[in-house]
Amino acid sequence: MVFLSADTGDNMNRITFPAAFVILMLISCNGEKEEPSDAGMDVQITPDASGDSDTDSDTDSDMDSDSDTDSDTDTDSDSDTDADAGTWQPIPDGGKYCGEHCRQVTFTPEVQTTYDLNNGYLAYKDNSSEYLWLIDLENEKQIKVADTQRPNYIVYYPTINSSWVYYILNCRRGEIESTDILYRRNIITWELQELKRYKYEEEHSPFSLLARGDYVCMNMSPPLGDNSNQYIECINPETKTIKTISDQDSIGTPIHNGEHVAYVYMIPNPPFGSGTHIKVRNIEDGGVAKLWDYLGDKGRQHMSSNGLVWIDLRNDTLGNKNGNASIHNSDIYYLDLQTMIETPLCTNSAIQDWPAIDGNLVAWEDQRNSPDPTRSVPQDLDIYLYNLETKDEVNLTEGISDWKFYTRISGKWLTFQMPSDPGINIFAVDLEAMGLYSE
């Protein structure tokens, strides 16, 4: 059985589905600047494409000081530039009912496969238009961060930290040569910075990222998609340093809090066939902070400054055996990152999935109220909220019959996805207004 972390989808019979009139600069992938070679340049210091990294230590390197300039951007007045790009607009009114102090915040005909919630902002990629949007939940407004409605341009994996939105731009220039560029844009000044380039087809390139604390961490995929040869790269945009956490077996988005990074890795020969587990490492020195003995597959991890949550199949006696890839009883577990003490939060016999944590609040999707609560393909899902201090548990979406999934929580905001008309969209709950959050 294999888990893939949030933002990357999964293969377990589940559907997984983030001041005034500033004109966005379209990003050019065919600028004057030559691609930097590996020889003698710190900007490209990463494990080589062969993945030759046999130790558990991490490597520090410096990023080229020229890499955070706007030299690879230009103002583009092509006809495919949307006139509203770069201006704040109100979030559309209406939408599907989702409960008390809850509202629909995206309105697209397709699934938002990647989105991030942090500091009151939500960033997501609109798959129907190839736009990257930023939503200010408190002020109920939105703005386009990147406009890629041009041939051979793809933007993906938006993530938010402090006043910056990070994302990857893939510039496809033919079947052989392609480049992935890590960008960030300041949501206050609208400054655009290029942080690093990766030569797709020639070296490892990022396929997922998350920005928290001082770092933006990425899972680095090898040129030919050999998932057994991956590693994690964490970049500090301010100090221009790179931390390389070398494992060659990481899967999905590296979930981190700026101090620790947690990721799923393959277990070669667990009792019930191949499976996945979670490893927690220190970003600064790469040392292992937590490694479990095998007690059942683990995955879908999420992390706050003090804690880690995940789904655990140690109690799944039906699905987690003999290589059966179906889940029938997944539970929510919590790890205190200060004491490294593990605690079960929800061991209901139904399926619990996709947990999220911030501060003392943990949220997850729960199938206990479904007609068949152990069915691996869900019929109905609710969002549950748990308070680590009071031990109180509440169903936030009671009485709303539909799939609610892919939960995120940050401060007073909780978000999830749910089918709407059209598409599958993102909904936001104000936990403070519900009396469930206080600073």
Side-chain angles (χ1 to χ4, degrees), residues 133-394:
W133 285 89
L134 178 72
I135 295 178
D136 180 343
L137 293 173
E138 186 67 37
N139 296 299
E140 299 186 337
K141 59 184 182 179
Q142 60 186 358
I143 193 170
K144 290 174 187 172
V145 176
D147 180 344
T148 57
Q149 275 200 321
R150 295 193 293 176
N152 304 322
Y153 285 66
I154 302 174
V155 62
Y156 53 102
Y157 294 117
T159 181
I160 312 166
N161 192 31
S162 185
S163 58
W164 295 92
V165 179
Y166 297 79
Y167 56 95
I168 298 292
L169 182 78
N170 178 266
C171 309
R172 298 181 177 180
R173 292 175 289 180
E175 296 182 357
I176 298 178
E177 185 181 12
S178 181
T179 302
D180 285 324
I181 306 176
L182 174 62
Y183 278 102
R184 70 172 184 172
R185 185 181 288 282
N186 191 291
I187 62 179
I188 299 174
T189 66
W190 226 238
E191 174 189 5
L192 182 67
Q193 294 181 356
E194 176 186 322
L195 297 179
K196 192 173 179 182
R197 290 194 173 204
Y198 304 86
K199 298 177 184 177
Y200 190 71
E201 303 287 355
E202 298 181 28
E203 62 182 0
H204 283 65
S205 58
F207 74 88
S208 61
L209 66 155
L210 181 69
R212 293 293 186 267
D214 294 332
Y215 290 97
V216 51
C217 294
M218 301 160 284
N219 191 310
M220 303 301 297
S221 178
L224 298 179
D226 178 6
N227 290 334
S228 65
N229 184 17
Q230 302 176 13
Y231 61 90
I232 293 171
E233 182 173 287
C234 294
I235 296 178
N236 186 322
E238 306 307 325
T239 64
K240 316 300 180 186
T241 56
I242 298 173
K243 302 283 186 179
T244 300
I245 299 175
S246 305
D247 248 328
Q248 300 187 24
D249 57 5
S250 57
I251 300 174
T253 302
I255 304 299
H256 72 101
N257 60 9
E259 180 180 356
H260 297 96
V261 58
Y263 55 94
V264 172
Y265 68 99
M266 293 296 298
I267 302 172
N269 294 299
F272 304 122
S274 62
T276 55
H277 229 321
I278 297 174
K279 187 179 291 185
V280 181
R281 288 184 179 271
N282 303 316
I283 293 178
E284 286 299 320
D285 60 16
V288 176
K290 179 67 176 180
L291 181 64
W292 284 263
D293 293 329
Y294 187 79
L295 294 172
D297 286 353
K298 297 173 175 57
R300 313 267 219 273
Q301 72 279 9
H302 197 253
M303 186 181 288
S304 67
S305 59
N306 296 317
L308 173 74
V309 291
W310 68 93
I311 71 167
D312 199 297
L313 302 189
R314 69 184 68 181
N315 298 318
D316 189 355
T317 59
L318 294 175
N320 189 24
K321 63 188 303 182
N322 300 324
N324 188 348
S326 297
I327 298 175
H328 295 271
N329 178 17
S330 53
D331 298 320
I332 306 297
Y333 277 72
Y334 167 76
L335 177 71
D336 186 316
L337 292 172
Q338 305 302 315
T339 65
M340 292 297 167
I341 295 176
E342 176 184 310
T343 305
L345 298 186
C346 181
T347 56
N348 184 281
S349 60
I351 294 174
Q352 287 80 42
D353 210 346
W354 289 114
I357 182 172
D358 188 55
N360 292 315
L361 297 179
V362 180
W364 64 83
E365 62 184 60
D366 199 301
Q367 203 169 315
R368 72 182 70 175
N369 299 315
S370 172
D372 185 355
T374 62
R375 182 180 178 182
S376 59
V377 179
Q379 299 166 298
D380 192 13
L381 289 168
D382 286 311
I383 303 299
Y384 276 72
L385 185 72
Y386 182 87
N387 189 305
L388 292 170
E389 283 191 350
T390 66
K391 315 300 182 187
D392 292 332
E393 180 186 271
V394 60

